Amino acid sequence: MPIMSFGSQNIKIITHKEAVTIRKLWKNPLKKDDRLHCYWNLVSKEKKKIFEAKVTDVKTIKFKDLKNNDALAQEEGYEDAKEMVKEFKKMYLNQISDDDLFQVIYFKKLDIDEWKGEKIDQKAMITQRADILFDSGKYDKSAMCYTAALKIDPNDVYLLNKKGDNLSRLGQFEESINCYNQALEIESENEYIWNNKAIAMLNFGNIEGALDANDKAIETNPNNTVVLYWRGFILEIMGEFEEALYVYDKLLTIDDTNPEVWNVRGNILTDLERAEEALESYDKALELCLHDSKLDATAQNRKGNALLDLGRFEEALDCYDKAIELEPRNTSFILNKGVVLMELARFADAEILFTKALALDPSNDDARVLKIECLENM
């Protein structure tokens, strides 16, 4: 009973009905009509049977004729022969010589009722593989797995939604929207899928369509905090700041523990030139995000901006110092601190900061102009 192991580099093999794989010649070579028992990562804790297959053809080839064969490498899912050879050197610890023999094994997957060994839930197995790949950011491979699972069950809403999520992350927004539409034909009142469609449409540049999809999500559940957050964001993109503020305020009556919501609320209040209220929002965001350094730095910077607008320069300076401590190479933070120093007539100190910003980003015109202004006032 020949056993084979496949990994994430072999996603095309795992998801297609017919495939080819290349292995170093075994002591007992494979032959046509042999049955294969195939596993995912056979020697790891993720070991799982994935399918049984029947060998349809076998060709023997020397390594010297294989190592530059891009076409064969791509059949197995590698980018080219160079990548395949690199993988072979990991698999076969002993040095591979040009005369070493490899088998090119063509096989066809068997329907589960033809299996002789343990039977599995193929849809569940492929979905699990897809979820793992999705969570690790391998969106192209996970999309292929979700597609394979959908061949087994084309009406699985979870799979349609997850495939849409994959395609969105790959920038294929139109295809992503089609997946969400298929899912919504089955579950027309699923607020999460409506919201995912809204996000995809927003990224696709259809802002009105995004708002319409978000409307459907709101109709289904007007208190879903995720849906409300994205509604506020869409309205903000549309320049409807008062409406966006109303949405964020409603969201905070449901859950006031999300620092990101307080931060974006502060941003809108800043845009509406309501600096004192913005300052209160940034303070709340900072209070809630003590363990999130990136958000903390952004919130410190935004709070500094609000204080700068209010003419509270020393307090603004303290905020920018905290932001720069967290992100010392962030030129926006450095420039903001320099502007405050100029307001305090500390031109020499400001000029040093603008020089530092130019060292980090030589194309930064703002830093160049402000540096010249400092030199003229020193």
Side-chain angles (χ1 to χ4, degrees):
M1 181 185 72
I3 295 175
M4 281 194 176
S5 177
F6 297 99
S8 59
Q9 76 275 12
N10 305 119
I11 288 297
K12 287 184 179 178
I13 292 175
I14 294 167
T15 56
H16 293 170
K17 184 72 175 176
E18 298 185 21
V20 59
T21 189
I22 304 166
R23 306 292 165 116
K24 199 171 182 181
L25 186 68
W26 294 347
K27 184 176 181 180
N28 295 314
L30 284 175
K31 58 187 183 299
K32 186 178 178 180
D33 294 329
D34 276 345
R35 181 180 293 265
L36 304 176
H37 291 248
C38 301
Y39 288 80
W40 176 278
N41 290 338
L42 184 62
V43 295
S44 79
K45 63 181 180 181
E46 291 185 354
K47 170 188 171 183
K48 186 179 288 288
K49 184 174 181 178
I50 48 179
F51 58 82
E52 289 184 21
K54 181 179 180 181
V55 177
T56 57
D57 195 15
V58 183
K59 297 177 182 177
T60 303
I61 185 172
K62 288 186 177 181
F63 183 64
K64 65 181 179 181
D65 299 318
L66 175 65
K67 64 183 181 181
N68 295 314
N69 193 323
D70 288 336
L72 267 180
Q74 288 160 0
E75 277 193 74
E76 192 171 358
Y78 296 104
E79 186 176 330
D80 52 29
K82 185 178 179 181
E83 184 186 6
M84 177 181 67
V85 170
K86 184 178 179 181
E87 190 64 28
F88 281 175
K89 288 180 179 178
K90 293 179 187 175
M91 291 168 58
Y92 307 113
L93 299 180
N94 296 327
Q95 187 175 358
I96 305 172
S97 70
D98 279 353
D99 289 330
D100 282 343
L101 296 176
F102 283 75
Q103 283 195 308
V104 182
I105 305 157
Y106 298 86
F107 60 88
K108 181 178 181 179
K109 292 181 189 176
L110 297 172
D111 292 333
I112 198 163
D113 56 6
E114 298 180 67
W115 291 14
K116 292 182 177 178
E118 173 196 6
K119 293 178 171 58
I120 62 167
D121 184 336
Q122 282 188 296
K123 176 186 155 186
M125 180 279 300
I126 296 172
T127 300
Q128 183 186 47
R129 294 300 102 201
D131 289 343
I132 290 170
L133 290 164
F134 180 86
D135 291 341
S136 61
K138 298 176 181 177
Y139 301 121
D140 53 342
K141 292 180 178 179
S142 56
M144 291 174 64
C145 281
Y146 288 126
T147 299
L150 282 165
K151 289 178 181 177
I152 300 170
D153 184 358
N155 295 317
D156 188 305
V157 170
Y158 175 82
L159 293 171
L160 288 166
N161 183 54
K162 291 295 287 189
K163 183 180 177 182
D165 291 348
N166 270 263
L167 293 168
S168 277
R169 284 160 175 78
L170 292 167
Q172 299 174 28
F173 301 116
E174 195 167 7
E175 295 89 338
S176 171
I177 292 164
N178 287 336
C179 284
Y180 296 134
N181 285 337
Q182 290 176 55
L184 289 166
E185 286 178 9
I186 302 164
E187 286 189 16
S188 60
E189 295 187 356
N190 188 316
E191 71 236 48
Y192 292 99
I193 299 175
W194 277 114
N195 193 60
N196 288 342
K197 178 181 175 179
I199 296 168
M201 296 194 83
L202 185 65
N203 284 310
F204 193 50
N206 185 349
I207 301 176
E208 293 292 341
L211 188 61
D212 288 343
N214 185 267
D215 284 341
K216 294 289 188 181
I218 290 288
E219 286 173 16
T220 303
N221 184 356
N223 295 317
N224 185 312
T225 55
V226 174
V227 173
L228 284 168
Y229 177 85
W230 280 100
R231 185 172 190 79
F233 184 78
I234 293 167
L235 289 167
E236 189 177 354
I237 293 293
M238 297 174 73
E240 302 290 346
F241 299 123
E242 292 286 359
E243 289 186 49
L245 183 62
Y246 173 81
V247 170
Y248 289 133
D249 283 341
K250 179 180 177 180
L251 197 164
L252 289 169
T253 65
I254 301 168
D255 177 13
D256 64 354
T257 63
N258 188 330
E260 182 61 28
V261 178
W262 285 104
N263 200 47
V264 295
R265 181 178 184 271
N267 295 348
I268 289 179
L269 288 165
T270 298
D271 290 334
L272 292 171
E273 298 183 355
R274 292 159 62 178
E276 289 284 1
E277 294 172 79
L279 191 56
E280 291 174 6
S281 278
Y282 293 136
D283 279 337
K284 188 65 177 178
L286 286 166
E287 179 185 328
L288 292 167
C289 68
L290 295 175
H291 302 296
D292 187 339
S293 62
K294 184 174 182 181
L295 182 57
D296 194 23
T298 301
Q300 289 285 5
N301 180 64
R302 280 289 190 173
K303 181 180 177 182
N305 292 345
L307 289 163
L308 176 59
D309 288 342
L310 291 168
R312 293 160 60 176
F313 302 129
E314 293 292 348
E315 293 172 80
L317 197 60
D318 181 60
C319 288
Y320 294 136
D321 280 337
K322 290 175 180 175
I324 292 168
E325 184 179 352
L326 291 164
E327 295 185 22
R329 297 179 66 83
N330 190 312
T331 54
S332 294
F333 299 170
I334 294 169
L335 288 179
N336 288 343
K337 180 181 177 181
V339 170
V340 174
L341 290 171
M342 290 177 70
E343 292 287 351
L344 293 168
R346 294 169 55 181
F347 296 107
D349 292 336
E351 188 272 335
I352 291 170
L353 284 176
F354 298 138
T355 300
K356 180 179 179 181
L358 284 168
L360 292 168
D361 179 11
S363 64
N364 194 312
D365 289 333
D366 290 338
R368 184 173 293 103
V369 170
L370 290 167
K371 176 182 170 73
I372 293 169
E373 189 173 341
C374 285
L375 292 171
E376 290 175 350
N377 285 278
M378 285 168 60

